[in-house]
Amino acid sequence: MNTPDDLAARATRVYRDAIVIDTHNDMFTRVLDEGYDPDVRHAAQEAHTDIPRLVESGITAQFMAAWVDAPYALARPDESFARAMRYIDAIHAAIERNPDTLLLATDTEGIVRAKREGKVAILIGVEGGHAIEDSLGNLRELHRRGARYLTLTWNNGNSWAGSSIGEHDTRTGGLTSFGEEVIRELDRLGMLVDLSHVSEETFYDVLAVTKSSVLASHSCARALSDHPRNLTDEQLRAIARNGGVAQLNFFPLFLDTAFREAFERVETDISARRTANADAHAPLSGELRALRAAMVARIPPVPLSVVLDHIDHMVRVAGIDHVGALGSDFVGISATPSGLGDVTRIPILARSLLERGYSDSDVAKLLGENVLRVMREGER
Ligand SMILES: [Zn+2]
């Protein structure tokens, strides 16, 4: 029988020994667009992440997103690749400024070395396939600079892959023949295909083409919350058959229907406040952003138990080897579940999963071992 003290000690040990990998964090968007300083510690509620808090979290490896926003595909398409490269430069620079605490990892060996040296491995994932501007040469260049996954679409589709949202009337269908070439090139490079954000049609088209295990870097279970960004049971089973892994997103918008409805009311209200002639692609004004944040903060929070419910469901459907608890999407999300307010709270997952009855080795799989396995397979 576990007393609370036993459980706490067990959770500490499991977390300390585990390779803990989070596959999605958007901190560098704040760094590029808002002059956010990642090197200093910020208040708990600000940006969910900075390097001091990342170190404190005890995480082994963090994928940082190089996210290319939809307007780059639509209004400034020939700047998409340069935008991704600016992210990558900023990520490299942060690692170079912090050699005692961070290292750049481009493979599983790097992650294991970070664990051994007590550092945080930083990995790079490019989010939004429009970043390659329809060029395999650009894709190879992103890989050469350290990118190790490509999220094929964002909320906008591109000329060769469809998105689950199809924002701004972009593509929602399947892969084109050039899209199939992109998948084969990713396989050849040993760069992971990330299926978060893509349409169901593109999802299954990719699985028919790829010879590698796939990643869904930040997605929840559609059976529990019917949002198009989430994975259906059928998709979860397909990921399991492929040998891949689906990593859970912490955004309450994707986790919980009541939260989503309240959130959508806020979005409707905010868009009504935009002046009628405002460019639909232009970013929100600072004033409206602040108002939206205040309105979102008033929505009743989603408890941590809902996060665990999604993990339980995904494990039931896909199996313990094909699910991960950490595709946090920190910084990219405008609300967090209770108890998971920033990266320093990540260790709570170990204890919560043990409380749900997972074994020590199952918890290690959910915290990062499954991602490590998928990466290893890609390296072979
Ligand atoms: Zn995303």
Side-chain angles (χ1 to χ4, degrees), residues 274-280:
R274 281 183 187 238
T275 55
N277 61 356
D279 175 0

Side-chain angles (χ1 to χ4, degrees), residues 24 26 65 67 127-128 149 151 153-155 194 196-197 217-218 229 249 254 329 332-333:
H24 203 86
D26 281 312
W67 167 56
E127 183 176 31
Y149 73 61
T151 316
T153 73
W154 186 59
N155 291 339
D194 178 13
S196 285
H197 283 289
S217 71
H218 56 308
R229 271 284 281 107
N249 191 310
F254 303 143
D329 213 356
I333 56 181

Side-chain angles (χ1 to χ4, degrees), residues 42 46 77 92 126-127 141 162 172 180 182 186 282 295 322 342:
H42 299 253
E46 198 182 340
H92 281 271
V126 172
E127 183 176 31
E141 183 62 15
T172 54
E180 293 179 0
V182 172
L186 287 165
M295 289 165 81
H322 303 290
D342 75 356

Side-chain angles (χ1 to χ4, degrees), residues 214-230:
V214 296
L215 170 73
S217 71
H218 56 308
S219 292
C220 307
R222 188 114 173 224
L224 301 193
S225 171
D226 187 18
H227 190 288
R229 271 284 281 107
N230 292 343

Side-chain angles (χ1 to χ4, degrees), residues 14 20 76 84 118 150 153 199 202 204 215 278 319 340-341 346 355 372:
V14 168
V20 182
R76 288 173 287 169
L150 179 68
T153 73
S199 66
T202 288
Y204 291 110
L215 170 73
L340 276 173
I346 287 173
E355 279 170 351
L372 201 68

